[in-house]
Amino acid sequence: MTASSVEQLRKEGNELFKCGDYEGALTAYTQALGLGATPQDQAILHRNRAACHLKLEDYNKAETEASKAIEKDGGDVKALYRRSQALEKLGRLDQAVLDLQRCVSLEPKNKVFQEALRNIGGQIQEKVRYMSSTDAKVEQMFQILLDPEEKGTEKKQKASQNLVVLAREDAGAEKIFRSNGVQLLQRLLDTGETDLMLAALRTLVGICSEHQSRTVATLSVLGTRRVVSILGVENHAVSLAACHLLQVMFDALKEGIKKGFRGKEGAIIVDPARELKVLIGNLLELLTEVGVSGQGRDNALTLLIKVVPRKSPKDPNNSLTLWVIDQGLKKILEVGGSVQDPPGELTVTANSRMSASILLSKLFDDLKCDAERENFHRLCENYIKSWFEGHGLAGKLRAIQTVSCLLQGPCDAGNRALELSGVMESVIALCASEQEEEQLVAVEALIHAAGKAKRASFITANGVSLLKDLYKRSEKDSIRIRALVGLCKLGSAGGTDFSMKQFAEGSTLKLAKQCRKWLCNDQIDAGTRRWAVEGLAYLTFDADVKEEFVEDESALKALFQLSRSEERSVLFAVASALVNCTNSYDYEEPDPKMVELAKYAKQHVPEQHPKDKPAFVRARVKKLLAAGVVSAMTSMVKTDNPVLTNSCRELLSRVFLALVEEVEDRGTVVAQGGGKSLIPLALEGTDVGQTKAAQALAKLTITSNPEMTFPGERIYEVVRPLVSLLHLSCSGLQNFEALMALTNLAGISERLRQKILKEKAVPMIEGYMFEEHEMIRRAATECMCNLAMSKEVQDLFEAQGNDRLKLLVLYSGEDDELLRRAAAGGLAMLTSMRPSLCSRIPQVTTHWLEILQALLLSPSQELQHRGAVVVLNMVEASREIASTLMESEVLEILSVLAKGEESPVTRAAAACLGKAVEYRLIQPNQDGE
């Protein structure tokens, strides 16, 4: 019974493999292996699994499976050939050639093996030639770069560029590495010359990229401490280059080798976990080192944000996060509690505290249980207490600044810190200080606390009068603007609910006017003007404020200019204000019955402002587009800074979706670079943000030429976001728009169709062909019709035991003309590409003749043409089918159509009759017709 089950599963796997369902075939072979197969059967199953992995482009697994088959049967020539294919793809040509030589010795007359051996021999010779020719070049480049006589010459510049270019190719990187390159690059770094340091760092990027052992060796030669210390230099470009190198090193240590060329892989014992911790430990040390540049500190925080937290909550291992919290939380808090002006012991930038807040937030979100979170709270509270008690006024300021940092990041920890004895009282007291620096720290803490639900009521009762007093009486704009933001926050507590207003009528408009005035004043520094945007981000919940804001061209221009400035911490506030102006936040119309019930129960019912109606929103969108909002947002998306958080990305995605809602606006969005900016938003961010961006991409792809909207290689990046909209969790509208967009792409080129197939979209598209909603069903059928130009899809239709062909035939007889047109078009294409399908049409339904006759008699020329092409393909495919058709009313219909005015329909009908005459099924009449 077991043997028969193994054989049955193997045959089932073979059928699935033939149909192109490689995942299904893999599952069947795996199940068969689990049933206690004989060694001979095991060899065959492992060999078949290797074939599946080759098709799925997982070459490491293909090699492993083929090796298992060879272990069971050393003379299995198919397994040897498949392993050689996998090894070739992995770049291990020397091993691949050994397997092919074995194949040729076992089957000397096999031309496939002989041709493969010739090809791989040519590749090896080419590689040897390349490696030998680069030997002398590498040596020469280093001689020029290290020659003191060549200082600043064009020759030196060219040598450094060539070295970087050579390192980008894996074979070139290996050659530099083997030529004592790391030690020579260390000498370039030691020169302290900017150009040479940049060349060395960029070359090291090529050496370490996706190569674990070379990365470990490089760190061993240069020293981890030395590499990390380069981050802290004053030169901005060098610090960024070091940041990039460290990111590449982290990726190599985490992911291992992805490229095939292994080089010295076996020569070094790699412990990536240890190396990772050493690197991260050095980054944490750098955070609090005196003498490190502010930019370097920011780059260290950026790296920690990218590297430490888990990429996915599905990964159970958060040990790295726990280790960083234990070893470095105090250091991160120290950066978060530092002030930019006047410069303190640690040099920081305007973005440092925000970066620290984001890192703290990421670490807190990565914790899995209450015990871990409690430990985080305890460490934060102990740090704040240590500064608050026993360090005088300076200590209290540091403690309050740290609380502000926590409130902007993990606000749960910030709220608990606010409740520590004396903290809130000190904040209120310091707001009245005569020293500007002290006032700034206290007012900012008050503002951040006002946004938290637990504290807002306390501050509304105790802080409003204080903020008003500061706003009216302070002579310093920096204090007044912050006090104003605090008032804005409190004034917007009702959100978009028109009936929940905190302040008297007109107060929010006055506050907004003052914010716009400060925003437009370019005499004020960017850091202070940022607070004006913060205020507007809150006040634009009010529709009256939105209307005034979009009318103020100078304010919009100032907002967009500020979004492009070095003050990156303004991005979230800008995005929030744009979301409010475009009403792109989530809003559901309340059920009228529930509203009546709530009124009856005397419950509060949210009310929408009259100026938030769709007509007003559309007008605001037009004004924003005219002011250049798309180019500003495009600049924001390009930001390589942790301030562009996933939440900020989501806000930008929401705005983009609102901007492309109207068809006539999409051309403007594309012209200003919106199309290419949407791709990164659709590939990275929150689930909601990615979905919104993908939907915006779909809208653009439907109504514009995709090749112009997404030029070059970008068009291929659009496919994955569109396919993500086909998941059942997405709305019907999103499914429909994705299908329409994919239909457009599938009609452009075979490479795009292959990309759609690779993203496993076909099963989902087939599922939507059965959808009840006629528009979704029609869009799925149109998409399948375009995909049918691909061989793989034709194979699916030709495979035995499925109803794909039957569905197209039946849909060709539906009442929905557009659905009929799509199905009949697919049928016409498939029957011309695969004549074998013609003989199966009469087998799939007894109504096939009626359906074809209805197509030929349709008043629509398009349907007539499609029907005539299907009939012509069937007549040409088989005399037997042609005989059946000529014995029916089809002959009469074709005769009438052939006599019509010259058109594709008459030509196809005449060709059908001509073929029937050739078969001698009919004879021409006396007139030769």
Side-chain angles (χ1 to χ4, degrees):
M1 192 171 108
T2 306
S4 64
S5 301
V6 169
E7 182 64 20
Q8 189 178 341
L9 281 166
R10 185 166 68 82
K11 285 181 178 177
E12 185 183 318
N14 292 348
E15 286 301 317
L16 289 166
F17 187 90
K18 285 176 189 173
C19 296
D21 185 358
Y22 307 121
E23 294 278 6
L26 203 55
T27 304
Y29 297 141
T30 306
Q31 288 173 348
L33 277 168
L35 293 178
T38 64
Q40 187 179 356
D41 282 336
Q42 285 179 24
I44 294 168
L45 291 165
H46 282 302
R47 182 178 78 199
N48 290 355
R49 279 170 58 82
C52 292
H53 286 306
L54 281 171
K55 289 289 186 183
L56 293 167
E57 298 180 12
D58 192 339
Y59 302 117
N60 281 311
K61 285 184 180 175
E63 181 208 349
T64 304
E65 290 296 331
S67 297
K68 286 179 182 176
I70 293 162
E71 282 173 22
K72 303 288 180 188
D73 180 3
D76 190 335
V77 73
K78 285 186 179 178
L80 283 163
Y81 181 59
R82 282 169 193 167
R83 186 167 74 175
S84 76
Q85 288 177 300
L87 290 166
E88 183 183 353
K89 290 290 185 183
L90 291 166
R92 289 148 65 188
L93 302 181
D94 52 340
Q95 292 170 273
V97 81
L98 293 174
D99 281 347
L100 278 173
Q101 286 169 346
R102 176 85 174 127
C103 289
V104 171
S105 68
L106 290 168
E107 293 187 14
K109 294 182 180 179
N110 192 314
K111 291 184 179 178
V112 173
F113 296 159
Q114 290 171 0
E115 184 63 28
L117 190 58
R118 270 196 298 275
N119 287 341
I120 209 163
Q123 288 181 51
I124 289 171
Q125 285 177 357
E126 184 61 34
K127 197 163 191 176
V128 168
R129 261 199 310 275
Y130 175 77
M131 295 295 276
S132 59
S133 68
T134 53
D135 269 355
K137 288 180 186 175
V138 170
E139 194 177 337
Q140 189 181 12
M141 281 186 263
F142 276 116
Q143 278 178 355
I144 294 168
L145 290 170
L146 293 167
D147 185 353
E149 300 297 319
E150 295 282 358
K151 192 168 185 179
T153 64
E154 189 179 332
K155 200 174 176 183
K156 203 164 194 173
Q157 190 178 4
K158 194 171 181 182
S160 65
Q161 287 171 351
N162 289 342
L163 195 64
V164 174
V165 170
L166 182 65
R168 284 177 189 155
E169 291 294 325
D170 198 74
E174 182 69 13
K175 178 53 63 181
I176 296 169
F177 180 76
R178 286 170 178 266
S179 304
N180 204 31
V182 178
Q183 285 88 340
L184 293 169
L185 290 168
Q186 185 177 23
R187 287 173 61 188
L188 290 181
L189 289 171
D190 291 341
T191 62
E193 292 180 36
T194 300
D195 290 344
L196 292 182
M197 288 182 79
L198 287 172
L201 291 167
R202 288 166 185 163
T203 306
L204 285 166
V205 165
I207 289 172
C208 298
S209 185
E210 297 179 343
H211 205 296
Q212 199 176 67
S213 65
R214 287 203 299 246
T215 301
V216 174
T218 301
L219 285 169
S220 174
V221 172
L222 297 178
T224 307
R225 184 78 198 129
R226 171 81 176 99
V227 178
V228 172
S229 68
I230 301 170
L231 266 184
V233 300
E234 288 293 339
N235 187 289
H236 185 70
V238 172
S239 180
L240 271 178
C243 183
H244 184 208
L245 171 61
L246 285 164
Q247 178 68 61
V248 164
M249 286 178 158
F250 276 121
D251 291 343
L253 290 172
K254 277 192 155 188
E255 304 299 331
I257 298 171
K258 290 180 184 172
K259 293 183 181 176
F261 198 102
R262 298 203 168 193
K264 290 187 167 183
E265 188 61 26
I268 296 168
I269 298 167
V270 178
D271 181 7
R274 179 186 166 280
E275 293 294 336
L276 267 174
K277 283 190 175 178
V278 171
L279 259 181
I280 291 169
N282 277 288
L283 281 177
L284 291 169
E285 290 294 330
L286 187 83
L287 290 179
T288 53
E289 264 185 37
V290 179
V292 171
S293 68
Q295 181 65 42
R297 229 178 289 280
D298 286 358
N299 286 335
L301 289 166
T302 302
L303 282 167
L304 290 167
I305 289 166
K306 288 179 180 177
V307 171
V308 176
R310 293 171 292 168
K311 296 291 182 194
S312 165
K314 292 177 185 175
D315 178 3
N317 184 9
N318 70 340
S319 59
L320 202 54
T321 295
L322 297 176
W323 184 81
V324 167
I325 288 170
D326 284 340
Q327 301 295 316
L329 185 63
K330 288 181 180 177
K331 293 180 172 65
I332 301 164
L333 290 171
E334 195 168 331
V335 177
S338 299
V339 290
Q340 187 183 3
D341 293 313
E345 192 175 309
L346 299 183
T347 309
V348 291
T349 69
N351 299 318
S352 299
R353 197 170 67 192
M354 180 59 77
S355 296
S357 294
I358 292 166
L359 176 56
L360 290 166
S361 182
K362 294 262 187 188
L363 293 173
F364 188 77
D365 291 342
D366 204 37
L367 300 176
K368 295 192 294 185
C369 62
D370 288 345
E372 291 174 0
R373 282 184 278 273
E374 192 56 43
N375 178 55
F376 186 94
H377 289 311
R378 180 179 56 77
L379 289 169
C380 289
E381 287 167 18
N382 287 346
Y383 177 82
I384 290 163
K385 281 180 188 173
S386 70
W387 278 103
F388 197 76
E389 298 162 3
H391 285 84
L393 184 57
K396 284 185 168 56
L397 285 171
R398 171 63 77 103
I400 292 168
Q401 188 84 320
T402 308
V403 171
S404 281
C405 178
L406 287 168
L407 286 166
Q408 287 178 282
C411 54
D412 285 351
N415 276 325
R416 281 194 39 170
L418 274 177
E419 290 164 10
L420 291 173
S421 175
V423 172
M424 200 66 205
E425 291 77 4
S426 296
V427 170
I428 300 290
L430 285 168
C431 282
S433 169
E434 292 180 6
Q435 295 296 318
E436 184 179 1
E437 295 79 24
E438 295 169 11
Q439 265 191 317
L440 283 174
V441 170
V443 173
E444 284 186 24
L446 197 60
I447 293 164
H448 296 311
K452 314 302 165 193
K454 285 185 180 180
R455 285 277 148 191
S457 55
F458 170 85
I459 293 164
T460 305
N462 300 279
V464 171
S465 57
L466 178 63
L467 289 169
K468 281 183 179 177
D469 192 52
L470 283 169
Y471 174 58
K472 288 175 183 175
R473 296 187 184 181
S474 178
E475 295 175 4
K476 303 177 186 74
D477 277 347
S478 58
I479 301 296
R480 292 187 69 221
I481 202 167
R482 286 164 171 78
L484 177 62
V485 172
L487 292 170
C488 293
K489 258 188 164 181
L490 296 171
S492 64
T496 56
D497 185 355
F498 182 47
S499 61
M500 288 274 290
K501 293 299 163 195
Q502 302 293 315
F503 297 145
E505 190 69 34
S507 294
T508 49
L509 285 172
K510 286 178 184 174
L511 292 172
K513 189 175 179 181
Q514 185 59 53
C515 279
R516 295 203 309 275
K517 183 181 172 184
W518 270 320
L519 175 61
C520 296
N521 185 354
D522 53 14
Q523 299 302 310
I524 302 174
D525 68 278
T528 304
R529 286 164 69 207
R530 170 179 78 85
W531 287 97
V533 184
E534 292 270 358
L536 287 167
Y538 290 103
L539 292 174
T540 45
F541 281 122
D542 187 319
D544 289 318
V545 173
K546 299 177 199 182
E547 287 295 315
E548 283 194 3
F549 185 37
V550 297
E551 291 290 345
D552 190 339
E553 289 182 19
S554 57
L556 288 176
K557 186 179 176 184
L559 180 78
F560 299 154
Q561 282 178 344
L562 194 60
S563 72
R564 295 186 180 96
S565 72
E566 291 297 314
E567 185 62 45
R568 308 316 288 163
S569 52
V570 77
L571 295 185
F572 191 85
V574 173
S576 299
L578 292 173
V579 165
N580 292 340
C581 288
T582 55
N583 282 37
S584 45
Y585 41 72
D586 292 325
Y587 175 77
E588 286 185 21
E589 285 286 344
D591 185 338
K593 290 182 182 177
M594 294 302 292
V595 171
E596 288 301 316
L597 191 63
K599 285 179 179 176
Y600 178 75
K602 295 184 179 178
Q603 294 293 314
H604 172 70
V605 180
E607 293 177 24
Q608 189 181 33
H609 197 291
K611 290 181 182 176
D612 273 332
K613 300 291 183 192
F616 284 94
V617 176
R618 281 196 294 273
R620 290 201 291 267
V621 166
K622 302 270 186 207
K623 286 167 186 168
L624 286 169
L625 284 168
V629 67
V630 177
S631 56
M633 288 172 64
T634 302
S635 174
M636 290 164 72
V637 172
K638 288 178 184 172
T639 302
D640 185 19
N641 191 293
V643 172
L644 188 67
T645 59
N646 287 343
S647 302
C648 190
R649 285 172 172 274
E650 182 186 318
L651 295 179
L652 292 171
S653 298
R654 287 175 179 276
V655 179
F656 267 122
L657 184 57
L659 296 177
V660 299
E661 192 62 41
E662 297 294 317
V663 175
E664 62 266 26
D665 294 333
R666 293 174 192 173
T668 307
V669 173
V670 171
Q672 295 181 14
K676 58 188 176 187
S677 297
L678 277 165
I679 295 171
L681 292 175
L683 295 172
E684 185 183 346
T686 64
D687 291 342
V688 173
Q690 286 179 281
T691 303
K692 300 277 185 193
Q695 192 177 358
L697 281 173
K699 288 178 187 289
L700 291 178
T701 309
I702 291 167
T703 54
S704 59
N705 180 351
E707 290 175 291
M708 292 181 69
T709 307
F710 312 107
E713 293 295 307
R714 283 200 187 96
I715 195 168
Y716 303 102
E717 296 178 50
V718 177
V719 174
R720 182 173 293 173
L722 294 180
V723 172
S724 72
L725 292 178
L726 296 179
H727 292 294
L728 294 173
S729 57
C730 296
S731 68
L733 176 62
Q734 289 166 342
N735 299 153
F736 172 71
E737 289 178 332
L739 288 164
M740 292 280 283
L742 288 169
T743 302
N744 274 5
L745 293 178
I748 291 173
S749 71
E750 178 59 24
R751 189 177 165 198
L752 271 168
R753 288 190 286 277
Q754 288 299 323
K755 178 68 176 169
I756 294 169
L757 292 171
K758 194 173 179 181
E759 293 296 336
K760 300 179 182 174
V762 171
M764 291 186 275
I765 295 166
E766 285 184 324
Y768 286 115
M769 288 175 73
F770 294 93
E771 178 66 41
E772 285 184 23
H773 196 290
E774 61 180 25
M775 290 175 72
I776 295 178
R777 187 169 66 238
R778 185 196 309 146
T781 308
E782 287 173 351
C783 191
M784 187 58 72
C785 173
N786 280 359
L787 286 171
M789 288 186 269
S790 284
K791 177 185 174 294
E792 289 82 356
V793 176
Q794 293 162 20
D795 291 341
L796 292 175
F797 276 90
E798 202 172 30
Q800 296 294 327
N802 69 77
D803 291 331
R804 293 183 179 95
L805 185 65
K806 181 178 181 179
L807 187 65
L808 279 189
V809 174
L810 292 173
Y811 277 177
S812 298
E814 284 285 308
D815 294 333
D816 180 353
E817 185 178 321
L818 292 172
L819 177 62
R820 287 177 76 196
R821 193 186 299 172
L827 208 54
M829 189 180 301
L830 286 164
T831 50
S832 64
M833 299 277 197
R834 297 294 173 97
S836 61
L837 292 173
C838 296
S839 59
R840 286 173 50 188
I841 289 176
Q843 299 166 15
V844 295
T845 173
T846 54
H847 302 291
W848 68 280
L849 262 175
E850 297 165 36
I851 291 167
L852 288 178
Q853 288 167 14
L855 286 172
L856 293 170
L857 292 168
S858 170
S860 163
Q861 276 251 324
E862 287 192 47
L863 283 175
Q864 274 190 335
H865 182 227
R866 284 164 165 75
V869 171
V870 174
V871 172
L872 176 59
N873 292 336
M874 293 178 75
V875 168
E876 288 180 336
S878 158
R879 187 181 186 282
E880 186 184 342
I881 299 171
S883 175
T884 307
L885 287 165
M886 293 306 131
E887 290 168 6
S888 70
E889 292 176 22
V890 170
L891 173 58
E892 189 179 340
I893 298 167
L894 290 172
S895 301
V896 173
L897 290 175
K899 292 174 184 176
E901 289 182 21
E902 177 69 15
S903 70
V905 177
T906 58
R907 287 195 292 273
C912 288
L913 295 172
K915 194 68 181 174
V917 170
E918 191 184 313
Y919 286 146
R920 297 186 179 180
L921 296 171
I922 60 172
Q923 291 182 349
N925 59 24
Q926 292 175 351
D927 300 327
E929 294 181 348

